[in-house]
Amino acid sequence: MKKLSSCELFKASERNFQMGGDRMGGKGEVSRKRKGFTGLEAAIVLTAFVVVAAVFSYVVLNAGFFTTQKSKEVVHTGVEQATSSAELAGDVIGYAMDYNGVILTTPSSSANRLNATRFYLQLTAGKHPLDMNGLTISYTDKDTHMGNLTYNASAGGGEINSGNNLGLRPGEWNWTIIKTAGFGDDDNLLELGEKAQITVALPDGGVAADEEFTIEVKPAQGATLTITRKAPSAIDSVMDLT
């Protein structure tokens, strides 16, 4: 057997190492490269998790803020619907009016039924302007109920006295904005400093002495204002029903 030199032995060992690496499926340098690639993948996956978590957190927070805002809106709407936008300002006045078969005319000392009433509204504290065109007036007594009286824009807004016909038919009503010093305009909104004069011609002849009746003022938004009064024992042409 030929004796190999030290240089030849080193070369032979190097060839055996390379052949062994090939037989192991390309491990070694390629394996080290694969390990580096796996680390890069891990970094990408970690970054993706962070991004997904951030997006998810953003969505959850936005959903929470949206739910909170909707809850506030629901509470605010509930309070608006549960509280009245308007309140009585002053007395409720009843009238015994002559009736010519078509309209109520003037107060009469000989009439024996309370068949018209007038009262005033003002905004409750902190409320927004009230759209008078959105009002609905209903009437109830022991014999009659009308859920929506007829609005008459051309009659009922003037002074009620012996020289001025009221002009309303039974079952009709009218509103008129009363301006005060420094307040008031010509729109259809009841605003701060203004009063709304409401005149109602009671349907079906009104009520007799000691009979009770109820008028409900229903704004488009807000609680109903209920006004219940009783006719006096003695019917006069003008009566304070407070």
Side-chain angles (χ1 to χ4, degrees), residues 17 22-23 55 59 66 70 79 88 94 96 115 129 154 171 194 212 223 235:
F17 177 79
D22 292 340
R23 286 195 298 270
V55 172
V59 171
F66 176 77
K70 293 300 290 183
V79 171
L88 278 175
N115 54 10
S154 60
E194 297 178 339
E212 191 173 82
I235 300 296

Side-chain angles (χ1 to χ4, degrees), residues 84-92 118-124 130-132 135-137 173-180 189-200 215-219 223-227:
S84 179
S85 300
E87 61 185 1
L88 278 175
D91 299 332
V92 178
R118 173 170 285 179
F119 53 90
Y120 296 85
L121 302 179
Q122 65 185 9
L123 289 181
T124 54
L130 175 64
D131 185 0
M132 298 299 296
L135 282 187
T136 299
I137 302 291
W173 70 284
N174 171 273
W175 63 262
T176 302
I177 297 294
I178 306 299
K179 303 174 185 178
T180 57
L189 300 177
L190 176 59
E191 298 169 306
L192 178 65
E194 297 178 339
K195 300 289 188 295
Q197 173 186 279
I198 308 294
T199 307
V200 181
I215 293 174
E216 292 184 328
V217 180
K218 304 175 182 179
T224 297
L225 175 63
T226 301
I227 304 169

Side-chain angles (χ1 to χ4, degrees), residues 54-143:
V55 172
F56 180 73
S57 300
Y58 176 78
V59 171
V60 170
L61 286 174
N62 272 350
F65 292 148
F66 176 77
T67 302
T68 301
Q69 183 63 30
K70 293 300 290 183
S71 298
K72 289 181 179 178
E73 291 178 2
V74 169
V75 171
H76 178 71
T77 301
V79 171
E80 286 290 327
Q81 292 295 337
T83 57
S84 179
S85 300
E87 61 185 1
L88 278 175
D91 299 332
V92 178
I93 305 300
Y95 299 91
M97 310 283 293
D98 279 333
Y99 177 56
N100 64 10
V102 179
I103 61 172
L104 300 184
T105 56
T106 58
S108 173
S109 58
S110 61
N112 59 3
R113 295 180 70 85
L114 188 160
N115 54 10
T117 185
R118 173 170 285 179
F119 53 90
Y120 296 85
L121 302 179
Q122 65 185 9
L123 289 181
T124 54
K127 289 298 181 180
H128 298 296
L130 175 64
D131 185 0
M132 298 299 296
N133 286 340
L135 282 187
T136 299
I137 302 291
S138 67
Y139 173 85
T140 304
D141 63 31
K142 68 182 184 68
D143 299 315

